[in-house]
Amino acid sequence: MAGYTRQAAANITTGSVIDADDFNDEYNQIQSAFNASTGHTHDGTAAEGAAIEKIGPSQDVVATASVLRPKATNTIDLGTTALQYKDAFFDGTVKTDGLTVDENAAIAGNLSVAGNLTGSGVSTGARAALSAGTGISYNSGTGVITCTVDTPAEVGLGNLSNNGNNLSGNFTATGNVTAFSDERLKENVETIQGALDKVSQMRGVIYNYKSELNDGQRGTGVIAQEMQQVMPEVVEEGQYLSVAYGNLVGVLIEAVKELKAEIDQCKCKKCECE
């Protein structure tokens, strides 16, 4: 034992006469060693004693090089309601079956909740702090959010009017209005045949809208019923027929190519005649 030196070693032997002074000196030396501010470090090295790995009256707590754990699961408390630890510092994950915070909690980082977040402060305080915007209703009692957008004005298109899913009015975009045309989204792709003949069957018209739709405004385009006979692919069904004018580009492109081929053929014949 560090700090301890045998006393009267020659007297305390088998067959020797041991007097009270010998025992007294030995006891005093042992007591002094235990009371000294330095002594056994129990670090496992020679003369310092083995490391203390188990603590408690029944060795209830086990300390290893990497883990401080109970001998049996779910049997040891850390502190009591009367005798509490002051602060705890962790650099990692803390896992628990239940967490009760009886005072204030400050969260400097992100809080991810996989389950339900409940409590009087959550169900009333947090819900009351939420508010809905235009076209959205919010029930602070149940926490249910419902989308009620049913007019163009609620999404910033106040110049348009609607009848069910149909919009009427002018729409101006400051950017491009595009539609998906990725090859990866298409199958059974075929080049349009007889495009020039199809275009020849189309009729371009100018007209006035009836007053109930657009107050007699002048317009230009095609008639959907006529287009159904020529290119039904560009006509959409509904309360009123509509035409996807952008989808006419394909047939117009092929019609121009067919027309060019005919013109080139005529040029060749003219050259032969000359």
Side-chain angles (χ1 to χ4, degrees), residues 99 101-108:
L99 177 64
V101 180
D102 56 10
E103 293 188 24
N104 298 325
I107 300 174

Side-chain angles (χ1 to χ4, degrees), residues 198-206 221-223 226-227 230:
K198 292 181 183 294
V199 172
S200 297
Q201 297 179 60
M202 297 179 190
R203 183 170 68 110
V205 297
I206 55 176
V222 295
I223 302 300
E226 295 178 4
M227 293 300 296
V230 182

Side-chain angles (χ1 to χ4, degrees), residues 41-65:
T41 61
H42 289 281
D43 60 2
T45 60
E48 293 296 337
I52 300 175
E53 296 183 351
K54 298 180 180 180
I55 309 169
S58 300
Q59 299 180 331
D60 305 296
V61 179
V62 179
T64 69

Side-chain angles (χ1 to χ4, degrees), residues 6-265:
R6 283 292 306 274
Q7 302 295 305
N11 295 339
I12 305 178
T13 59
T14 303
S16 298
V17 176
I18 305 174
D19 58 25
D21 289 338
D22 295 330
F23 273 117
N24 189 53
D25 290 342
E26 197 71 27
Y27 171 78
N28 288 338
Q29 184 62 21
I30 293 173
Q31 184 183 45
S32 177
F34 273 108
N35 291 335
S37 59
T38 59
H40 274 331
T41 61
H42 289 281
D43 60 2
T45 60
E48 293 296 337
I52 300 175
E53 296 183 351
K54 298 180 180 180
I55 309 169
S58 300
Q59 299 180 331
D60 305 296
V61 179
V62 179
T64 69
S66 59
V67 177
L68 181 65
R69 62 172 178 82
K71 182 173 66 174
T73 187
N74 200 25
T75 57
I76 302 296
D77 292 332
L78 189 63
T80 67
T81 56
L83 298 173
Q84 302 176 351
Y85 286 90
K86 183 178 183 292
D87 295 317
F89 298 89
F90 298 93
D91 186 12
T93 302
V94 178
K95 295 184 178 181
T96 179
D97 293 337
L99 177 64
T100 301
V101 180
D102 56 10
E103 293 188 24
N104 298 325
I107 300 174
N110 298 323
L111 177 63
S112 299
V113 180
N116 295 324
L117 187 62
T118 61
S120 60
V122 174
S123 60
T124 57
R127 286 179 179 173
L130 296 175
S131 62
T134 302
I136 297 177
S137 64
Y138 173 68
N139 188 322
S140 61
T142 63
V144 174
I145 298 175
T146 305
C147 179
T148 58
V149 174
D150 56 8
T151 64
E154 289 176 314
V155 290
L157 300 175
N159 61 309
L160 301 179
S161 61
N162 72 299
N163 180 9
N165 294 327
N166 298 320
L167 296 177
S168 60
N170 297 323
F171 177 80
T172 302
T174 57
N176 296 320
V177 179
T178 63
F180 284 135
S181 190
D182 195 304
E183 182 182 31
R184 295 169 296 179
L185 302 175
K186 303 176 182 181
E187 59 183 2
N188 302 324
V189 178
E190 300 176 3
T191 301
I192 299 173
Q193 301 297 323
L196 185 57
D197 181 58
K198 292 181 183 294
V199 172
S200 297
Q201 297 179 60
M202 297 179 190
R203 183 170 68 110
V205 297
I206 55 176
Y207 50 84
N208 289 95
Y209 282 105
K210 293 183 177 180
S211 58
E212 62 265 25
L213 288 179
N214 209 359
D215 198 23
Q217 181 178 339
R218 196 73 168 154
T220 181
V222 295
I223 302 300
Q225 283 81 354
E226 295 178 4
M227 293 300 296
Q228 279 183 314
Q229 306 303 315
V230 182
M231 285 201 69
E233 297 87 352
V234 302
V235 180
E236 297 290 334
E237 300 284 348
Q239 181 182 6
Y240 296 104
L241 298 181
S242 59
V243 174
Y245 282 94
N247 293 348
L248 289 172
V249 171
V251 69
L252 295 178
I253 290 173
E254 293 303 315
V256 170
K257 290 163 64 176
E258 289 181 14
L259 182 61
K260 180 179 183 301
E262 291 183 6
I263 293 173
D264 290 343
Q265 187 177 15

